[in-house]
Amino acid sequence: MKCCIRIGQIDINIIFPIIGGLANFISRFMISKTDLSKHPIILSIGSTFGMSLSLILFIIYHFKNKSNNKKEINNKKNKIKLFEKKEEKNSNKYKLFLLISFLDFIETILSNKYCKDVLISLWIFDILFICLFSSLIFKIKIYAHHFLSIIIIILTGIILDSIEGLYNNFLSRIIPILIKFILEIFISLDIIITKYIMERFYTSSYEICFYEGFFGFILYCILLIVSKYTNFLDDFFIKYNTFGINDVIIFVFFIITKLIFNLFMFITIKNTTSCHFLIILIFGELEPHIQNLIEGTDKDIKITITIIIGLFFILFMTLIFNEVFEFNCFGLEKNTKQNIAKRVKIEENKLYNDEDDNESLISLEDFRLNMESQQNLNENNENENIEN
């Protein structure tokens, strides 16, 4: 009797979302211990500054690969055309860098302004939106095991939120919930645009991390200056005297963990698929519940344990979606990458064997014709000898 669930195609790149997820968990855990969690602009500045530090890695990567990517072209006209084409590509690439930085900037503002109190797990819909955008932009096919995983993930998330009582007074909060739902669509689009930049312009993870961080850092610094005079989103300049050396140390570690989180998120998107991003996201979602379990701050520990188990189940279904594990029943395993590759290999071998058979038939036919020719030649020689 075959097992209903089996290990799929294990790729070494699965380590990247795990590291990114752990960094996400640690950064959220650390910052929750300080009053810095009440200052979204400062946190965004720290995050984007950390991303900007990937410039060092980008420079090392650039010089290491410069000699490999350099092509010698002797024709002067071809050099000019290549240069013009490269300049046009770079121009489009930087526009997209600005776009994803601006999208992230707007998402942060709207999320902190209108959705701060919306605790409903609308991130569970990200996997659906990422699939839709991937299908539209990259023409990626969605199969039965993908659809089943999406349905189970969304239903599990809704059930967990219901257990936690997050749907109470739903209609009275419909506007911020809708805003957050729309923001999840933009977050998913942001991820797909990032994937597009990497594949279309052969952009490294270090480069995109640096430019998105650099542009974002400028935008958030401008917003911080605006907040100083308008008290918009952040009252940091009113309360900055209350922060001590411990807060500074935590903030430095926050910058480092955010660099690791963002960098490994980009590496994950580049080396695997856009949907592997969900693995990183789930680690972050586990943080407040595990923290409550450790500290015993929740009134109902059974609900906390249920939520944690539920999130691990969602993580497992995400791994099913990404074919780290596979359903081995009801034909759900038919269209996994591993089985599609096996079918292709079988067809190639069949085609190769057919070609060998045809070559053998052709060789036999040639041999027969050669033998007939030789026989006719011998008969002609014998007739000539008789006549002589």
Side-chain angles (χ1 to χ4, degrees), residues 47-255:
S47 178
T48 51
F49 178 75
M51 292 170 70
S52 300
L53 294 177
S54 62
L55 173 64
I56 301 167
L57 298 171
F58 175 46
I59 292 171
I60 295 170
Y61 174 85
H62 177 73
F63 282 102
K64 186 178 178 181
N65 292 275
K66 190 176 181 180
S67 57
N68 297 331
N69 296 330
K70 191 175 180 181
K71 294 182 179 180
E72 294 294 333
I73 300 174
N74 295 322
N75 192 315
K76 191 174 180 181
K77 289 183 179 179
N78 286 341
K79 280 185 177 181
I80 294 170
K81 286 181 181 178
L82 184 65
F83 178 76
E84 289 175 350
K85 191 174 181 181
K86 187 176 180 181
E87 287 297 306
E88 184 182 351
K89 276 190 173 184
N90 284 338
S91 175
N92 293 332
K93 179 171 70 173
Y94 295 132
K95 287 175 184 176
L96 289 173
F97 284 153
L98 278 169
L99 175 61
I100 57 177
S101 298
F102 187 71
L103 278 175
D104 182 74
F105 178 70
I106 296 299
E107 289 158 13
T108 302
I109 291 174
L110 293 178
S111 178
N112 285 283
K113 182 67 177 176
Y114 300 106
C115 312
K116 206 168 183 180
D117 296 326
V118 178
L119 302 178
I120 296 174
S121 304
L122 295 175
W123 57 268
I124 56 176
F125 292 95
D126 287 5
I127 193 166
L128 174 62
F129 300 136
I130 290 172
C131 281
L132 290 174
F133 289 131
S134 295
S135 180
L136 288 171
I137 296 174
F138 298 112
K139 310 301 178 185
I140 292 174
K141 292 183 179 179
I142 310 299
Y143 296 106
H145 64 284
H146 294 130
F147 285 114
L148 181 62
S149 300
I150 291 169
I151 291 168
I152 293 175
I153 287 169
I154 292 174
L155 287 178
T156 304
I158 292 171
I159 291 169
L160 292 177
D161 285 348
S162 300
I163 292 171
E164 208 171 354
L166 299 181
Y167 285 103
N168 296 338
N169 304 316
F170 181 84
L171 292 177
S172 62
R173 299 178 295 138
I174 191 66
I175 299 299
I177 290 172
L178 282 175
I179 292 172
K180 188 173 182 180
F181 186 79
I182 293 169
L183 289 178
E184 295 299 335
I185 298 175
F186 281 107
I187 290 169
S188 304
L189 179 61
D190 196 350
I191 292 165
I192 297 302
I193 293 172
T194 300
K195 181 76 170 178
Y196 175 81
I197 294 170
M198 290 176 171
E199 294 194 357
R200 175 69 176 81
F201 301 104
Y202 305 102
T203 308
S204 71
S205 306
Y206 312 116
E207 182 179 4
I208 198 166
C209 188
F210 164 67
Y211 279 111
E212 185 172 344
F214 175 72
F215 291 137
F217 181 73
I218 293 171
L219 290 171
Y220 287 116
C221 284
I222 293 170
L223 186 61
L224 183 64
I225 294 169
V226 171
S227 72
K228 180 178 180 180
Y229 300 101
T230 62
N231 202 25
F232 179 72
L233 283 186
D234 207 318
D235 56 356
F236 174 75
F237 287 103
I238 298 173
K239 298 182 178 180
Y240 75 94
N241 287 326
T242 61
F243 295 105
I245 188 66
N246 289 336
D247 295 306
V248 173
I249 293 170
I250 290 174
F251 187 63
V252 170
F253 277 103
F254 172 78
I255 290 171

Side-chain angles (χ1 to χ4, degrees), residues 345-356:
K345 190 173 182 180
I346 290 169
E347 290 298 322
E348 286 176 349
N349 290 335
K350 186 178 178 183
L351 182 62
Y352 179 76
N353 291 333
D354 289 343
E355 287 176 354
D356 284 348

Side-chain angles (χ1 to χ4, degrees), residues 336-347:
T336 60
K337 290 177 184 177
Q338 187 172 233
N339 286 330
I340 290 173
K342 285 180 181 177
R343 290 201 300 273
V344 170
K345 190 173 182 180
I346 290 169
E347 290 298 322

